[in-house]
Amino acid sequence: MQHRSLRLRLWLGAILSISVALTVAAFGLISLFEHHVERRIDAELRLHLNHLAAALVVAADGSVSLNDEPADPRFSQPLSGLYWQIDDITTPGLLRSRSLWDALMVLPADPLEPGGIHAHLLAGPSQQQLLVRERQIRLQTASGQPLLRLAVGIDRAELLAARADFAADMQPYLALIVVVLLLATLVQIQTGLAPLEAVRRGVGAIRSGQSPLLPDHYPLEVMPLVSEVNALLAARAEAIERARIWTADLAHGLKTPLTALAADAQRLREQGHPALADDLEQLATAMRRRVDRELIRVRVRSGTARHEARVEVGSAIARLLRVLQRTPEGERLNWQVEMPLEVQVALMPDDLLDLLGNLLENAAKWARSSVTITVTTAQIG
């Protein structure tokens, strides 16, 4: 029955959409953070490149040196993950940081305009992957214009570690967002399904006789259903009214022949045929009671009682007892009534009198000394 539950479908859709949305958001935030860190690293590497370019000194003999090495202590720590290197056309690693130890950054042979900066992802010492920024400068000296390539690299593991730390720090906040979204989904589902619950209560009120139709104050999306239900109830009421008319006609049509049959029985008795008269009278009485019982049963089972029709049970019982207590069978009995105050039923008064009349007549016929009438109520729906 789970696939028939609208609430379950809404929950599954909400959980799926929340999962997809948070997954996309998490990857997006991690990607944005990674790009942000890459920009910061790029700015740092460019700063080191500018520092190297400003500190370059070419001696009269053409030798190249630095008058001020970068101050970051990682450049002095072997295999620290931050490196710089200066190449000339013929000598890779002409100058390099102590952190490179005995390794070199092998720069690709790509064309590079003076002043431009290229970005590379290169292999570094100790199987490191380096994010490298490279620029090319040409110096003016007395002996010529030497062309130098300056490169600064940093271990990409730092970027990956920062990304992993950011993802770990983000998990509690994602969990909090999940809780908030689930609570919002709960409120949304409860609010969205509330009109359907109101329709269910309205149908229960109709079934119990408290209301004839569904009210028209539901949301617009539910009103087509409400209109169809009300139209069905109106059609049912019309059919019931036709059935009431038909049963009334049937009752009148049968009572006349039965009355004539009783009159014939009386004439036969006067003519000296008492046995035949008694048989006819007994047959007419049995047929009349059977017709009355079946007509009442048809009216009750077919829902002939309109919901706007309300009748008080106690007054109907009292009315019938006043009549029965004047009959020979009812006068000899002790009648007791046990019922709550002001009990009403959704029946027409005549239907209730017919129904209770048959029951009480049978009780008066077969009871010996007393009859106790007990009325109880039950909640429907």
Side-chain angles (χ1 to χ4, degrees), residues 30-357:
I30 291 174
S31 178
L32 288 176
F33 177 79
E34 184 176 359
H35 291 323
H36 171 73
V37 174
E38 284 183 350
R39 287 193 297 269
R40 295 292 300 270
I41 291 176
D42 179 74
E44 180 183 356
L45 296 180
R46 288 173 181 267
L47 181 64
H48 291 313
L49 279 177
N50 293 335
H51 183 86
L52 289 174
L56 278 174
V57 176
V58 181
D61 58 358
S63 61
V64 179
S65 62
L66 292 176
N67 60 9
D68 183 21
E69 292 190 3
D72 195 312
R74 289 177 293 174
F75 286 125
S76 302
Q77 180 181 352
L79 307 178
S80 64
L82 183 61
Y83 315 102
W84 62 265
Q85 178 177 302
I86 299 175
D87 298 350
D88 66 7
I89 298 301
T90 59
T91 309
L94 179 65
L95 296 174
R96 62 181 184 272
S97 64
R98 180 179 175 79
S99 56
L100 274 173
W101 199 243
D102 58 352
L104 292 175
M105 289 187 291
V106 181
L107 302 176
D110 56 340
L112 184 64
E113 295 294 331
I117 297 178
H118 278 193
H120 304 292
L121 181 61
L122 304 177
S126 298
Q127 299 180 345
Q128 297 175 353
Q129 272 194 325
L130 303 181
L131 298 173
V132 178
R133 297 297 181 267
E134 174 198 3
R135 67 178 296 184
Q136 185 173 317
I137 62 174
R138 189 180 298 274
L139 300 177
Q140 297 291 338
T141 64
S143 59
Q145 296 180 341
L147 188 63
L148 301 177
R149 301 177 69 182
L150 282 62
V152 180
I154 190 171
D155 188 4
R156 189 170 180 268
E158 296 188 14
L159 172 62
L160 299 178
R163 184 179 66 180
D165 292 341
F166 176 77
D169 293 340
M170 190 172 54
Q171 288 179 3
Y173 298 97
L174 290 178
L176 178 61
I177 293 174
V178 169
V179 173
V180 173
L181 290 178
L182 289 178
L183 292 176
T185 300
L186 175 62
V187 174
Q188 183 179 8
I189 291 177
Q190 292 296 113
T191 304
L193 295 181
L196 297 181
E197 178 64 20
V199 171
R200 187 196 67 80
R201 291 194 300 267
V203 173
I206 293 173
R207 187 177 62 174
S208 62
Q210 300 175 5
S211 176
L213 295 172
L214 291 174
D216 57 356
H217 54 69
Y218 294 101
L220 295 177
E221 292 78 7
V222 185
M223 282 307 299
L225 173 62
V226 173
S227 300
E228 291 296 329
V229 171
N230 286 338
L232 179 62
L233 292 173
R236 178 176 177 270
E238 184 179 353
I240 289 173
E241 186 61 26
R242 289 197 299 267
R244 290 179 61 84
I245 297 174
W246 180 84
T247 54
D249 293 341
L250 179 61
H252 289 295
L254 291 175
K255 285 182 179 180
T256 300
L258 291 175
T259 302
L261 187 61
D264 291 341
Q266 182 62 30
R267 284 195 297 269
L268 287 174
R269 182 178 290 106
E270 293 174 355
Q271 294 175 3
H273 303 284
L276 182 58
D278 291 342
D279 291 341
L280 288 177
E281 188 174 19
Q282 184 178 2
L283 179 61
T285 302
M287 290 176 63
R288 184 169 58 251
R289 289 181 177 177
R290 180 63 180 269
V291 168
D292 291 341
R293 183 168 64 252
E294 292 301 324
L295 290 178
I296 292 173
R297 181 181 300 174
V298 168
R299 288 199 298 268
V300 172
R301 288 185 176 179
S302 61
T304 55
R306 305 179 203 173
H307 291 291
E308 62 269 17
R310 311 291 293 186
V311 59
E312 210 276 320
V313 179
S315 60
I317 293 177
R319 179 179 173 184
L320 291 171
L321 288 181
R322 284 194 299 268
V323 176
L324 286 174
Q325 287 174 347
R326 290 196 295 266
T327 64
E329 294 178 339
E331 186 179 9
R332 63 182 178 82
L333 298 175
N334 179 24
W335 298 88
Q336 297 181 0
V337 180
E338 298 178 358
M339 62 173 296
L341 296 176
E342 297 184 358
V343 177
Q344 293 185 345
V345 294
L347 286 173
M348 298 297 289
D350 293 340
D351 292 343
L352 180 61
L353 289 175
D354 290 341
L355 180 63
L356 293 177

